[in-house]
Amino acid sequence: MLLQGITEGNPAVQRRAMAKAITLLESTRADHRLQADELLTALLPHTGRALRLGISGVPGVGKSTFIEALGLYLIEQGHRVAVLAIDPSSTVSGGSILGDKTRMERLSVHERAYIRPSPSSGTLGGVAEKTREAMLVCEAAGYDIVIVETVGVGQSETAVHGMTDMFCLLQLPNAGDELQAIKKGVMELADLVVINKADLDPFAATRAQSQIQSSLRLFGQHGNPEHAHHDESLWQPTVVQLSALQGQGVAGFWQQVSRFWQLQTDNGRFAAKRQRQAKSWMWERIEAGLRQRFRDHPAVKAQLENTTDQVLQGRLPASTAARQLLELFH
Amino acid sequence: MLLQGITEGNPAVQRRAMAKAITLLESTRADHRLQADELLTALLPHTGRALRLGISGVPGVGKSTFIEALGLYLIEQGHRVAVLAIDPSSTVSGGSILGDKTRMERLSVHERAYIRPSPSSGTLGGVAEKTREAMLVCEAAGYDIVIVETVGVGQSETAVHGMTDMFCLLQLPNAGDELQAIKKGVMELADLVVINKADLDPFAATRAQSQIQSSLRLFGQHGNPEHAHHDESLWQPTVVQLSALQGQGVAGFWQQVSRFWQLQTDNGRFAAKRQRQAKSWMWERIEAGLRQRFRDHPAVKAQLENTTDQVLQGRLPASTAARQLLELFH
């Protein structure tokens, strides 16, 4: 029923079915989880045809404005656009600051757009899992562009990078920003860097563009043999300028995305990346499950604090402590 | 017996006891592991008083020459020096390129020095664990400076950073090198950066020094609130020049290390870091143990390949696959 509503329903039915499905996926009840797994498995053949686009950037860089401009542009081109979010702060506060519909007034009311805020509790891994699953629901419902946004703090960028086909980093036209991104290792994840608000200071924007472009080139040459020798069949990370507020540069941005999409499909990296992502995702969830069970095991639970104290006080070697606790877990 | 030999023996007895103990710690036999854990626990009260110094740098930067010069200098000052190594390539090849005694001819024959090559097999985590344990043996034997070296490739730097009190990065006097270190996130780990071979091009060395110093300052200010406002009681990562081959700058290097040691002891960060390291080490080994048990579990083993294939072929959602495999593990 839910499956049919998602894949075949008229717009209103579909929207209700999607919301219901995502609520089911986010439920922590054990019987819901079984139903959710059945639903996911049934949805799977209807998924995988969308482009998954990750978008990150620090607060104030203009992500909402950019995503709204991009979403409206894509709808005009005939696409259907879903916007999901991973908000690392939601795992602490239990409330979501991202993805709320008031930020994207025009996009959120459009019938060809679907906006869903970040799941609002749990570990980052748990939030990421729910977002990945919501992505499958959107794809099964025929949304062919799925945007996953996150703020440029914490490790959420790595999570978004791990579930999307292309990772775009929004930057302001100043160099401090660039160094921060390099330092945090986010620049290295980027397939495309977008300098937003370029109209405010065209000179600074152009300087930032050339600086970032040369950083990206350096990363590519030294760090990643994939990008060596400027092989024409391989994507070279690149930088574009735009002004989301003025609506300038969105078409140029999309041109780069399309070129990436085509190139990566032709050279086989698109499919290979998705396989890698699925496998890492499986292992990430296995490891999270193992840790949880370990901590919940009665004998471990009874001993963990005491053993940890002994390690902290230097009375028990850490590796011995680990082996003792693992014995209890048997 | 072994314990007594390590802590009280004359030089020849002690050296034999240390070698025997480390061999025991590296053994994979289950009964040996029990004995090894007993030995470690007994050694523990005799450990912890040494300074643990991590040294990293890419091949060709002159690590052996530097460590030999430093070791001989420290022995002259009345210290006893142990040199251990983590060689990430050894986990692949089963052979160790690091720490072999022929590289440090004068230091290796000195009776107040103890040099041990990298453990030569297993995962990086396993190799790191054996090195951590060997460190305890050296400390119990009265070596008051323990140097752990690694090459600047792979993730071995993080492992060395996680087991030492101070992490030093050796660099050549050129900017490409610096960018590589920033990119890989190693620069951020460094408490002290050493520009070696400074005599070859004093001008380049001085330029590199000031560039790296300003990068370190930027990291500190933006990324790490610890280092903000240049609080006098806190260590500010710094850069020194030296020429290990000419024996120039070793005393200046040691002056910085001593200043670090004093400052971190006074402000309590020295002890706090060791506690953090012990706790992470415990959890790292627990997680490695859980993964190993999971993979070895008969029901999981029988199903893992098939489930992985289904995930790769897009017939099973990764999170569902993880839950199914975790069920089998019950």
Side-chain angles (χ1 to χ4, degrees):
Chain A
M1 268 284 294
L2 214 45
L3 173 70
Q4 211 179 354
I6 293 168
T7 56
E8 297 173 18
N10 68 46
V13 171
Q14 191 175 59
R15 220 167 255 274
R16 266 199 309 279
M18 287 171 75
K20 236 174 137 171
I22 294 177
T23 304
L24 177 68
L25 293 169
E26 292 183 358
S27 168
T28 52
R29 273 176 49 187
D31 57 327
H32 283 174
R33 194 61 251 182
L34 279 178
Q35 287 175 49
D37 275 340
E38 271 174 35
L39 176 66
L40 276 179
T41 308
L43 286 176
L44 211 56
H46 303 275
T47 67
R49 284 180 295 272
L51 179 73
R52 300 165 184 171
L53 196 61
I55 292 181
S56 173
V58 294
V61 76
K63 279 190 303 298
S64 307
T65 312
F66 173 64
I67 292 172
E68 176 155 84
L70 176 63
L72 293 169
Y73 171 84
L74 291 172
I75 286 172
E76 219 168 83
Q77 310 285 313
H79 295 287
R80 292 177 69 201
V81 180
V83 181
L84 307 172
I86 291 186
D87 175 5
S89 71
S90 74
T91 66
V92 178
S93 67
S96 175
I97 52 162
L98 277 177
D100 60 302
K101 303 192 177 184
T102 55
R103 289 183 310 126
M104 302 177 199
E105 285 188 4
R106 289 171 61 206
L107 189 63
S108 63
V109 297
H110 203 292
E111 66 158 8
R112 295 178 69 80
Y114 185 83
I115 299 183
R116 176 96 190 172
S118 177
S120 63
S121 66
T123 60
L124 177 59
V127 167
E129 175 171 10
K130 286 165 191 172
T131 303
R132 280 174 188 268
E133 294 178 347
M135 186 162 76
L136 299 179
V137 174
C138 296
E139 291 184 9
Y143 290 85
D144 63 332
I145 310 286
V146 180
I147 295 172
V148 186
E149 66 162 321
T150 192
V151 283
V153 294
Q155 304 194 287
S156 55
E157 280 111 339
T158 313
V160 171
H161 180 259
M163 70 174 74
T164 53
D165 302 311
M166 183 175 194
F167 186 76
C168 303
L169 176 66
L170 261 67
Q171 294 271 284
L172 292 172
N174 76 63
D177 218 38
E178 179 205 348
L179 265 157
Q180 272 300 82
I182 293 178
K183 184 216 144 189
K184 287 173 52 217
V186 180
M187 187 68 83
E188 214 182 333
L189 300 177
D191 298 303
L192 186 57
V193 177
V194 177
I195 299 170
N196 193 19
K197 305 189 184 179
D199 57 319
L200 295 183
D201 186 345
F203 177 71
T206 300
R207 197 179 44 192
Q209 179 172 23
S210 88
Q211 278 177 358
I212 296 174
Q213 188 68 64
S214 66
S215 304
L216 289 173
R217 206 168 291 135
L218 202 80
F219 284 2
Q221 284 174 356
H222 291 270
N224 191 342
E226 277 188 19
H227 297 306
H229 308 304
H230 291 269
D231 183 333
E232 290 288 316
S233 75
L234 298 179
W235 175 255
Q236 312 294 337
T238 189
V239 191
V240 297
Q241 293 184 29
L242 59 76
S243 165
L245 200 63
Q246 308 295 323
Q248 286 162 4
V250 175
F253 168 83
W254 190 247
Q255 213 178 340
Q256 294 291 342
V257 175
S258 306
R259 197 164 67 78
F260 173 88
W261 196 350
Q262 187 64 51
L263 214 57
Q264 296 288 94
T265 306
D266 291 348
N267 67 22
R269 284 171 195 271
F270 198 87
K273 191 180 194 175
R274 285 201 172 175
Q275 288 204 329
R276 254 195 335 267
Q277 289 176 334
K279 199 173 167 184
S280 332
W281 181 15
M282 183 183 90
W283 276 104
E284 193 197 298
R285 298 323 295 161
I286 287 172
E287 291 182 8
L290 290 173
R291 274 196 301 272
Q292 191 57 50
R293 282 189 193 196
F294 181 77
R295 284 182 180 278
D296 290 346
H297 188 281
V300 172
K301 222 173 179 169
Q303 193 54 41
L304 185 58
E305 199 182 322
N306 181 27
T307 302
T308 306
D309 279 349
Q310 288 189 52
V311 169
L312 293 180
Q313 289 162 24
R315 288 188 285 121
L316 192 64
S319 49
T320 308
R323 279 186 287 271
Q324 287 180 0
L325 290 168
L326 284 167
E327 274 309 305
L328 293 177
F329 183 61
H330 246 329
Chain B
M1 271 281 295
L2 214 44
L3 172 69
Q4 213 180 353
I6 292 168
T7 57
E8 298 172 18
N10 68 47
V13 171
Q14 190 177 58
R15 221 166 254 275
R16 266 200 308 278
M18 288 173 74
K20 236 174 138 172
I22 294 177
T23 305
L24 177 67
L25 293 169
E26 292 183 357
S27 169
T28 51
R29 271 176 51 185
D31 57 328
H32 283 174
R33 194 62 254 183
L34 279 178
Q35 286 175 49
D37 275 340
E38 272 173 36
L39 175 66
L40 277 180
T41 308
L43 287 175
L44 212 55
H46 303 275
T47 67
R49 283 181 296 272
L51 178 74
R52 302 166 183 169
L53 196 62
I55 291 181
S56 172
V58 295
V61 77
K63 278 190 304 300
S64 307
T65 311
F66 173 64
I67 292 171
E68 176 154 82
L70 176 63
L72 293 170
Y73 171 83
L74 291 171
I75 286 172
E76 220 168 83
Q77 309 285 312
H79 296 286
R80 292 178 68 201
V81 180
V83 181
L84 306 171
I86 291 186
D87 175 6
S89 72
S90 73
T91 67
V92 179
S93 67
S96 176
I97 52 163
L98 277 178
D100 59 300
K101 304 192 177 184
T102 55
R103 290 183 310 127
M104 302 177 200
E105 284 188 5
R106 291 171 59 207
L107 190 62
S108 62
V109 297
H110 203 292
E111 66 158 8
R112 295 178 68 80
Y114 185 84
I115 300 183
R116 176 96 190 173
S118 178
S120 63
S121 65
T123 60
L124 177 58
V127 166
E129 175 171 12
K130 286 165 191 171
T131 302
R132 280 174 188 267
E133 294 178 346
M135 186 161 75
L136 299 179
V137 173
C138 296
E139 292 184 8
Y143 289 86
D144 64 331
I145 310 285
V146 181
I147 294 172
V148 187
E149 65 162 321
T150 191
V151 283
V153 295
Q155 304 195 287
S156 55
E157 279 111 339
T158 313
V160 171
H161 179 261
M163 70 174 75
T164 53
D165 302 312
M166 184 176 194
F167 186 75
C168 304
L169 177 65
L170 260 68
Q171 294 271 285
L172 291 172
N174 76 63
D177 218 37
E178 179 205 348
L179 265 155
Q180 271 300 87
I182 294 177
K183 182 216 145 190
K184 286 173 52 218
V186 179
M187 188 66 84
E188 213 182 335
L189 300 178
D191 298 303
L192 186 57
V193 177
V194 177
I195 299 171
N196 194 19
K197 305 190 184 179
D199 58 318
L200 294 183
D201 186 346
F203 177 72
T206 300
R207 197 178 46 194
Q209 180 171 21
S210 87
Q211 278 177 358
I212 296 174
Q213 189 67 64
S214 65
S215 305
L216 289 173
R217 206 167 292 134
L218 203 82
F219 284 1
Q221 285 174 355
H222 291 271
N224 192 342
E226 277 185 20
H227 296 306
H229 307 305
H230 290 270
D231 183 332
E232 290 289 316
S233 75
L234 298 179
W235 175 255
Q236 312 293 338
T238 189
V239 191
V240 296
Q241 294 184 29
L242 59 75
S243 166
L245 199 62
Q246 308 296 321
Q248 287 162 2
V250 174
F253 168 84
W254 189 248
Q255 211 178 344
Q256 295 291 340
V257 174
S258 305
R259 198 165 66 79
F260 174 90
W261 196 351
Q262 188 63 55
L263 214 59
Q264 297 288 94
T265 304
D266 291 348
N267 66 22
R269 284 171 195 274
F270 197 87
K273 191 180 193 175
R274 286 204 172 172
Q275 288 204 329
R276 257 197 331 269
Q277 289 176 335
K279 198 173 167 182
S280 329
W281 180 15
M282 182 183 90
W283 277 104
E284 194 197 298
R285 298 324 296 162
I286 288 173
E287 290 182 8
L290 290 172
R291 275 195 301 272
Q292 192 56 49
R293 283 190 192 195
F294 181 79
R295 284 182 180 278
D296 289 347
H297 188 282
V300 172
K301 221 171 178 171
Q303 192 55 41
L304 184 59
E305 198 183 323
N306 181 28
T307 303
T308 306
D309 278 349
Q310 287 188 51
V311 169
L312 293 180
Q313 289 161 25
R315 287 187 286 119
L316 191 64
S319 49
T320 308
R323 279 186 287 271
Q324 287 180 359
L325 289 168
L326 284 166
E327 275 308 306
L328 293 177
F329 183 61
H330 244 333

